[in-house]
Structures are given as C-alpha cells and as structure tokens.
Amino acid sequence: MGFFDKLKNGLAKTKAGFTDGINNIFANFRTVDEELFEELEETLILSDVGFDTTEMILDRLREIVKKENITEVQLIKEKLVDIITEILSENDSGIDVSGKTMIIVVGVNGVGKTTSIGKIANYYKNIGKKVILAAGDTFRAAAADQLEIWANRVGCDIIRHNEGSDPGAVVFDAIQAAKNRNADMIICDTAGRLHNKVNLMNELAKIIKIADREMPEVKKEILLVLDATTGQNALSQAKLFGQSTGLTGLILTKLDGTAKGGVIIGISNEQELPVKFVGVGEQVDDLQPFNAKEFADAIFS
Ligand code: GDP
Ligand code: MG
C-alpha cells in the first residue's frame, strides 16, 4: 500500500465523522442561508477545529459567498475545502535535510515521541541518511530500551546512558559520535513527565543549549509531538512547550484513532507552526512527512 492509501485508511474515522458530517450538510441544503453556515460551524467545532479557527473559516466563507454571489450549495463546499487546504498549506514547510540536521523531539508522556522517532529514523534511513538516535529520556531505563529496540529494527546507532543520568550528557555524546561517524542526522528523544514542569523545561532548554554550542552550524528542528485524540488539550500543550523551547514544528500522532482529525486545522492555524509529520498508525511506515494538499485530498476525496 502506498502512503496516500495508508493516509486515507488511517483517516477513515475522520472521514466518517468530519467529512461525512460536512457532506451531509451540503446534501441536505438546497439554498444558501444562515442555517447552512450554522450547521457548518457546529460540525467544525465538534471535529475539534477549535472555536477561533472555525470562526475564521466561516468569516472567509461568508465573504467569498457574498463577493462571488454564490447560490449553488455544492460550490460552497468547494470553497470550504479550498479554505481548509489553504490554512493547512500556509504552514506546510517540510524539513530541510540537505545538510546535517538535528531533530529534538519533545512532548508529554504517551503522545508518541519514541515511536515517532523510530519511524522518522526509518524514513530517513530509507532515503540514504545516516541516523544516530540519542536516548535523552533518561528518567526510566525502559525509555532507552524502547528506543534501542527501534534502533535495532531500523538499523541505526543509538547513544544511551544509565537511568537517571543527565540528558544533556547523552546529547553531548551523541553529537561527538555523529561527528566521528559522519552521521547526517541526530534524532533526540526527551522525557515528558509534566508533573515536574519547571525541571522538564529546564532540561529541554539545556539540551538545546548544548546542541547550539556543539553544532552551531547544524540546522535544528525542535518538534512537539501532539496526540490528535487529546483534542483541544493539544493546543494548551503547544502553548506550554512553545514558551520555553522555541518550537519549529509539530508532529501530530494517532490521527487514526480519532474522528476529530479537524484538530490539525486548528492547531496549524492557531500555533502558526508547521505540521512536519503525521502519524496514522502503529506500523513503522505509518508516519510520513506532512503534505497539506495530500492530506486535504485524503479527507475530502
Ligand atoms: P512517548 O511517551 O511520547 O514516547 O510515547 P510512545 O512513543 O511510547 O507511544 C505511546 C503509545 O502510542 C504507543 O503504544 C504507540 O504505539 C502509540 N502510538 C504512537 N503513534 C501512534 C499513531 O500514529 N497511531 C496509533 N494508533 N498509535 C500510536
Ligand atoms: Mg518515550
């Protein structure tokens, strides 16, 4: 199965909830009136697009309908799909891997950081990159074990220290290893326990500082992993991490587990951060670089 089919499959719940909801509205209205807009508003909000983004979409839609004097219901649907695609495209930038790259992956426990790192490593290994993993979640030994299983599966190197050791030291060693072994990419896992917020944020800041100091010339991506099934809660996580870590992008996981895939629209709009990868399942190839056009096609076609 190609990735587009995997994406479509993974988004089956969202298609059944969000897309079918929108299609039903357009199937049930013959004329363009206020009630149509109200039903659309409700469906968007129920699909976790978020209040602000929903209002923005409807304002734009009303404006276009008025300006172009649209009376055909089906045409309004096309305009709606265009607006959503545009929002997703505004922040669609991909990852530049032409030079050496460091990706630091952050996020709260259980969102899918370690799993995503394994999948990203696999993706770049398959296109010929030499990848080193850094086991920066030193809080539990099991975290490094889990990353090591991925490293073995993918066939890439991993740098890990003992449980409880300093994550900054792990990152330092991974950087030296990457230099010695001429690796193209370091992907760094981090801890996500939020009950000790201040320490966690300090720890992340330290990792980033070490990376900047040891490899000033290397392009760094700080990616926040968000679990799509947590809905609006994901937005508050993005704010929290954004304040202290200078995020450059997002990874949205578990889109296969929710009918509310609309969350991606609100997140990319309100955070003004590009979505770099989307996860639609637990298999190694169920995470791929995000492409706005492809994503919109997968849910609307
Ligand atoms: P971490 O605590 O952030 O490192 O999270 P993990 O990588 O350990 O993942 C937590 C759970 O989420 C695991 O059971 C993963 O298999 C699962 N998971 C991660 N990404 C996806 C996804 O895109 N879809 C589904 N269905 N499960 C996922
Ligand atoms: Mg983990």
XYZ file of all heavy atoms in Angstrom, residues 107-116 119 137 140 146 150 189-190 225 227 252-257 278-282 286-287, ligand 1:
263
model
N 7.541 16.613 24.110
C 6.092 16.400 24.271
C 5.821 15.639 25.553
O 6.730 15.033 26.125
N 4.577 15.647 26.008
C 4.243 14.984 27.274
C 4.259 13.459 27.095
O 4.278 12.959 25.962
C 2.876 15.454 27.857
C 2.855 16.979 28.003
C 1.723 14.998 26.996
N 4.262 12.742 28.201
C 4.306 11.281 28.170
C 3.161 10.676 27.374
O 2.024 11.123 27.503
C 4.227 10.732 29.604
C 5.600 10.600 30.224
O 6.608 10.615 29.516
N 5.639 10.477 31.539
N 3.486 9.676 26.576
C 2.452 8.882 25.932
C 1.934 9.412 24.606
O 1.111 8.765 23.955
N 2.408 10.576 24.180
C 1.891 11.147 22.929
C 2.438 10.431 21.691
O 1.861 10.506 20.610
C 2.181 12.662 22.807
C 1.301 13.458 23.757
C 3.647 12.974 23.023
N 3.571 9.750 21.862
C 4.150 9.018 20.724
C 5.520 9.512 20.296
O 5.909 9.338 19.141
N 6.274 10.109 21.226
C 7.610 10.628 20.872
C 8.546 9.511 20.402
O 9.099 9.577 19.303
C 8.274 11.302 22.090
C 7.661 12.612 22.501
C 8.419 13.241 23.670
C 8.380 12.416 24.939
N 7.024 12.171 25.487
N 8.721 8.516 21.251
C 9.711 7.476 20.960
C 9.334 6.704 19.690
O 10.177 6.452 18.825
C 9.836 6.529 22.178
O 10.091 7.337 23.332
C 10.970 5.548 21.994
N 8.059 6.363 19.594
C 7.583 5.652 18.407
C 7.801 6.487 17.147
O 8.257 5.971 16.117
C 6.061 5.370 18.563
O 5.827 4.834 19.860
C 5.567 4.418 17.518
N 7.490 7.776 17.232
C 7.669 8.648 16.063
C 9.140 8.736 15.668
O 9.467 8.747 14.479
C 7.129 10.054 16.348
O 5.727 10.005 16.549
N 10.075 5.787 13.673
C 9.509 5.862 12.320
C 10.248 6.899 11.467
O 10.485 6.688 10.276
C 8.029 6.230 12.390
C 7.139 5.159 13.042
C 5.760 5.773 13.311
C 4.760 4.786 13.884
N 3.511 5.474 14.276
N 15.615 10.569 27.021
C 14.689 10.303 28.122
C 15.381 9.332 29.061
O 15.336 8.117 28.867
C 13.367 9.717 27.604
C 12.374 9.461 28.742
O 12.744 9.680 29.923
O 11.229 9.059 28.458
N 13.489 6.833 32.913
C 13.268 5.408 33.171
C 14.152 4.629 32.205
O 14.296 5.003 31.042
C 11.818 5.010 32.868
C 10.757 5.660 33.711
C 9.382 5.405 33.093
N 9.333 5.885 31.714
C 8.976 5.155 30.676
N 8.643 3.894 30.810
N 8.950 5.690 29.472
N 13.266 1.024 24.920
C 12.281 1.131 23.835
C 12.919 1.768 22.601
O 12.721 1.312 21.467
C 11.091 1.980 24.323
C 9.922 2.028 23.349
C 8.909 3.121 23.727
O 9.056 3.785 24.756
N 7.909 3.315 22.885
N 13.915 0.195 18.634
C 13.706 0.885 17.350
C 15.012 1.001 16.564
O 15.036 0.802 15.355
C 13.100 2.272 17.578
C 11.611 2.247 17.679
C 10.868 2.368 18.821
C 10.678 2.067 16.613
N 9.533 2.281 18.526
C 9.387 2.093 17.178
C 10.801 1.876 15.242
C 8.226 1.950 16.411
C 9.650 1.733 14.480
C 8.382 1.765 15.058
N 15.525 11.895 21.639
C 14.327 11.639 22.438
C 14.458 12.434 23.745
O 15.576 12.731 24.185
C 14.237 10.135 22.746
C 12.852 9.697 23.188
O 11.919 10.526 23.142
O 12.693 8.520 23.563
N 13.347 12.793 24.345
C 13.387 13.518 25.623
C 12.290 12.986 26.547
O 11.366 12.317 26.095
C 13.159 15.036 25.427
O 11.842 15.239 24.888
C 14.184 15.659 24.502
N 5.486 16.762 19.759
C 4.558 15.699 19.388
C 3.233 15.922 20.106
O 3.199 16.109 21.328
C 5.119 14.305 19.743
C 4.132 13.214 19.338
C 6.465 14.083 19.065
N -0.794 14.371 20.480
C -1.675 13.226 20.242
C -3.028 13.786 19.786
O -3.704 14.488 20.532
C -1.785 12.474 21.583
C -2.799 11.352 21.567
O -3.666 11.326 20.673
O -2.729 10.511 22.479
N 1.931 15.358 14.536
C 0.609 15.016 15.042
C 0.410 13.504 14.896
O 0.393 12.985 13.781
C -0.454 15.790 14.268
C -1.830 15.864 14.908
C -1.758 16.527 16.277
C -2.805 16.636 14.024
N 0.299 12.817 16.048
C 0.181 11.349 16.014
C -1.261 10.902 16.244
O -2.110 11.694 16.644
C 1.028 10.711 17.133
O 0.564 11.220 18.386
C 2.506 11.025 16.954
N -1.483 9.633 16.021
C -2.740 8.938 16.358
C -3.957 9.517 15.637
O -5.076 9.455 16.157
C -2.966 8.916 17.883
C -1.725 8.419 18.646
C -1.992 8.155 20.088
C -0.680 8.067 20.870
N -0.849 7.765 22.270
N -3.719 10.077 14.462
C -4.857 10.563 13.673
C -5.777 9.416 13.273
O -6.940 9.633 12.948
C -4.358 11.310 12.431
C -4.069 12.800 12.668
C -3.198 13.377 11.561
C -5.367 13.599 12.782
N -5.234 8.195 13.312
C -6.065 7.024 13.017
C -7.036 6.716 14.148
O -8.004 6.003 13.948
C -5.179 5.800 12.755
C -4.209 5.543 13.918
O -3.508 6.494 14.327
O -4.163 4.405 14.405
N -6.782 7.282 15.323
C -7.589 6.922 16.486
C -8.696 7.907 16.788
O -9.330 7.823 17.829
N 2.783 13.442 10.129
C 1.533 12.942 10.715
C 1.632 11.431 10.897
O 2.171 10.727 10.043
C 0.285 13.278 9.855
C -0.079 14.747 9.995
C 0.484 12.918 8.392
N 1.095 10.973 12.017
C 1.092 9.542 12.321
C -0.311 9.000 12.188
O -1.253 9.552 12.741
N -0.446 7.922 11.424
C -1.782 7.346 11.224
C -1.806 5.860 11.549
O -2.585 5.102 10.985
C -2.305 7.579 9.783
C -2.651 9.034 9.562
C -1.298 7.098 8.735
N -0.944 5.420 12.475
C -0.978 4.016 12.859
C 0.296 3.612 13.566
O 1.200 4.419 13.750
N 0.360 2.356 13.972
C 1.476 1.906 14.800
C 2.589 1.221 14.016
O 3.620 0.872 14.581
C 0.948 0.990 15.911
C 0.047 1.765 16.870
C -0.256 0.997 18.137
O 0.530 1.094 19.089
O -1.278 0.291 18.155
N 3.843 4.076 9.146
C 2.606 4.828 9.362
C 2.836 6.279 9.775
O 1.933 6.936 10.294
C 1.738 4.148 10.431
C 0.994 2.946 9.875
O 0.806 2.882 8.651
O 0.617 2.072 10.673
N 4.059 6.756 9.587
C 4.315 8.167 9.858
C 5.092 8.718 8.671
O 6.086 8.130 8.253
C 5.142 8.327 11.136
C 5.448 9.778 11.529
C 4.741 10.141 12.820
C 6.927 10.002 11.695
P 6.097 8.708 24.360
O 5.808 8.505 25.815
O 5.720 10.086 23.940
O 7.487 8.356 23.966
O 5.091 7.735 23.558
P 5.386 6.343 22.844
O 6.201 6.526 21.621
O 5.895 5.370 23.850
O 3.918 5.943 22.349
C 2.834 5.725 23.206
C 1.824 4.796 22.504
O 1.230 5.457 21.392
C 2.454 3.529 21.944
O 1.623 2.432 22.248
C 2.485 3.770 20.436
O 2.429 2.588 19.695
C 1.249 4.615 20.239
N 1.291 5.428 19.013
C 2.229 6.338 18.637
N 1.917 6.917 17.451
C 0.747 6.373 17.042
C -0.117 6.569 15.898
O 0.115 7.372 14.984
N -1.263 5.812 15.869
C -1.567 4.919 16.854
N -2.708 4.238 16.733
N -0.802 4.723 17.935
C 0.352 5.423 18.049
